[in-house]
């Protein structure tokens, strides 16, 4: 099952977090929040650049996406690309933005078991599978867009994932160090690890799915 088939097709408005954790609320990601303020020509430039970058990925893979190549494909100056996205990582993260926002909207307000309405352990299982499918489908882009270590865990989307997993764990194991356990669980869904296991070691995705279900059961003390 691919990520695109697992997630909802529409992108609903973001609901409020279901429970306060005493930490910053789940954040929106990417540049969508400031786009209404963009001048019309700036918005067109951004769309043109992302379309050009998508074409380059389709034709040459993520390695073919450089700031210079995107500028040439979009017919704009290289400085325009740098001003809009900052650097290559910022450009690649913008390409991942839509599926990231879709995933966030689904686990915050979509149908169960990923969204509200299912027991927290069922939601945690579904969450991991959704992240796994998304990563497997976009693995080259995910690997290329990995921020440097000082930025990696501070990215709003990563904070959103951590906040959500922490919330679910607190409902399941209120006496545990859920903050640290959330980092541990998310580490098993890291794109570099998934790349190593599936491409370098030849593990089928089904084995990783079963591994996630087993890991959740062991961490939460519930039945697989």
């Amino acid at each position: 099952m691919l990520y695109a088939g697992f997630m909802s097709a529409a992108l609903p408005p973001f609901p409020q977090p279901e429970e306060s954790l005493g930490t910053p609320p789940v954040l929106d990601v990417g540049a969508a929040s400031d786009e209404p303020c963009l001048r019309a020509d700036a918005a067109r430039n951004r769309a043109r650049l992302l379309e050009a970058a998508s074409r380059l990925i389709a034709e040459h893979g993520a390695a073919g996406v450089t700031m210079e190549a995107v500028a040439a494909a979009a017919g704009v100056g290289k400085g325009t690309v740098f001003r809009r996205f900052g650097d290559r990582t910022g450009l690649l993260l913008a390409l991942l933005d839509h599926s990231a926002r879709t995933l966030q909207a689904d686990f915050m307000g979509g149908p169960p078991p990923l969204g509200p309405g299912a027991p927290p352990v069922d939601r945690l299982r579904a969450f991991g599978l959704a992240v796994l499918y998304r990563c497997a489908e976009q693995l080259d882009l995910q690997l290329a867009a990995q921020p440097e270590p000082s930025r990696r865990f501070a990215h709003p989307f990563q904070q959103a994932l951590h906040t959500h997993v922490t919330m679910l764990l607190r409902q399941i194991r209120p006496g545990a160090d859920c903050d640290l356990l959330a980092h541990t669980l998310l580490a098993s869904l890291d794109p570099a690890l998934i790349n190593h296991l599936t491409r370098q070691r030849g593990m089928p995705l089904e084995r990783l799915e079963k591994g996630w279900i087993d890991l959740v059961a062991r961490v939460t003390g519930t039945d697989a």
Side-chain angles (χ1 to χ4, degrees):
M1 178 189 299
L2 292 178
Y3 167 78
F6 184 86
M7 312 302 287
S8 65
L11 181 59
F14 284 107
Q16 294 299 312
E18 303 150 79
E19 176 182 336
S20 174
L21 301 179
T23 55
V26 175
L27 300 174
D28 195 1
V29 295
S33 60
D34 62 5
E35 286 197 9
C37 301
L38 291 176
R39 300 191 316 273
D41 58 340
R44 284 193 297 270
N45 278 342
R46 182 178 190 276
R48 186 189 311 167
L49 291 169
L50 290 175
E51 181 183 352
S54 297
R55 288 200 309 270
L56 288 173
I57 288 179
E59 295 169 2
H60 307 292
V65 179
T66 65
M67 305 298 265
E68 294 81 1
V70 171
V76 300
K78 184 171 66 174
T80 300
V81 188
F82 280 98
R83 283 192 299 273
R84 190 68 195 100
F85 301 105
D87 56 17
R88 182 174 181 270
T89 297
L91 172 61
L92 295 173
L93 287 172
L95 286 169
L96 288 169
D97 176 66
H98 178 74
S99 67
R101 288 187 293 120
T102 301
L103 173 61
Q104 186 177 345
D106 280 349
F107 68 66
M108 289 181 65
L114 184 56
V121 68
D122 291 344
R123 296 189 65 193
L124 187 57
R125 294 188 191 106
F127 168 84
L129 296 181
V131 174
L132 179 62
Y133 299 147
R134 172 179 179 265
C135 185
E137 187 172 81
Q138 304 174 327
L139 191 51
D140 287 334
L141 183 55
Q142 294 251 3
L143 292 172
Q146 287 284 296
E148 61 185 18
S150 62
R151 297 165 56 189
R152 184 173 181 182
F153 297 103
H155 189 274
F157 182 59
Q158 291 302 320
Q159 292 180 344
L161 298 184
H162 179 265
T163 298
H164 180 65
V165 174
T166 301
M167 178 202 72
L168 294 177
L169 287 171
R170 286 184 178 176
Q171 294 176 9
I172 303 166
R173 298 290 300 271
D177 187 345
C178 297
D179 183 8
L180 187 57
L181 284 178
H183 282 295
T184 303
L185 285 172
L186 288 170
S188 70
L189 300 170
D190 182 80
L193 177 61
I194 294 173
N195 176 69
H196 170 70
L197 295 176
T198 59
R199 294 182 175 178
Q200 296 176 337
R201 294 195 55 189
M203 288 187 186
L205 195 60
E206 291 76 14
R207 183 175 175 183
L208 273 62
E209 295 176 21
K210 293 178 180 178
W212 171 258
I213 299 299
D214 181 63
L215 180 61
V216 168
R218 293 178 186 274
V219 168
T220 61
T222 57
D223 294 331

